[in-house]
Amino acid sequence: MITGTVNADFEPIISISIYDSNGKIYPQEAFIDTGFNGWLSLPPDLINQLNLKWKRRERASLGDGSECVFNVYEAVILWDGVPLTIPIDEADSEPLVGMSLMKAMQRGLGGYPHERLHQDRLSTHDSSL
């Protein structure tokens, strides 16, 4: 079960466990950003600390209409108890959970039957966020 809090600015925050390149787990709080289509963004200093594997550069359009080019890394996170390899976008911001990661939870992970997983998630939403 993934639980979180809502801060004074009504921003939902959840804790994510991220593996570094040596397999050590780092807990990290991240904001859920419904305007972010990616998986997870992390600041450069945390990416360096975790020694994540660089994959590629990408371009994105931002909410203000500008474009940016950024590095994409790969990491393993523990998502609702299931290890999941995902792309990590480098961003000079607080860690952000994007809609791709939220959709992965909705689709189901680790072989869970979709209906069972969906019901578990619905009960989680009622009590945690």
Side-chain angles (χ1 to χ4, degrees):
M1 173 174 27
I2 296 173
T3 61
T5 59
V6 177
N7 68 16
D9 294 325
F10 302 106
E11 297 167 319
I13 302 169
I14 60 174
S15 181
I16 296 178
S17 297
I18 307 168
Y19 290 87
D20 72 3
S21 61
N22 294 317
K24 182 178 176 185
I25 295 177
Y26 288 82
Q28 178 66 52
E29 290 194 340
F31 293 91
I32 297 174
D33 183 352
T34 58
F36 173 40
N37 292 330
W39 292 78
L40 178 66
S41 74
L42 296 176
D45 59 334
L46 183 55
I47 289 172
N48 287 335
Q49 180 183 354
L50 297 169
N51 195 26
L52 299 182
K53 182 178 178 182
W54 183 86
K55 298 298 285 184
R56 63 186 177 278
R57 290 181 62 82
E58 287 196 7
R59 179 180 309 268
S61 298
L62 303 178
D64 66 0
S66 65
E67 288 193 356
C68 70
V69 177
F70 56 95
N71 291 310
V72 178
Y73 295 82
E74 183 177 271
V76 177
I77 66 168
L78 200 56
W79 185 244
D80 202 16
V82 178
L84 181 65
T85 302
I86 61 168
I88 304 291
D89 296 347
E90 183 180 70
D92 289 322
S93 67
E94 297 293 325
L96 300 174
V97 172
M99 291 298 96
S100 292
L101 188 52
M102 299 303 290
K103 286 178 185 174
M105 180 169 63
Q106 187 178 30
R107 284 192 311 260
L109 300 170
Y112 287 104
H114 177 72
E115 293 78 16
R116 164 76 191 264
L117 189 66
H118 185 65
Q119 289 173 350
D120 290 347
R121 300 302 188 266
L122 288 176
S123 65
T124 299
H125 290 295
D126 290 342
S127 63
S128 62
L129 294 176

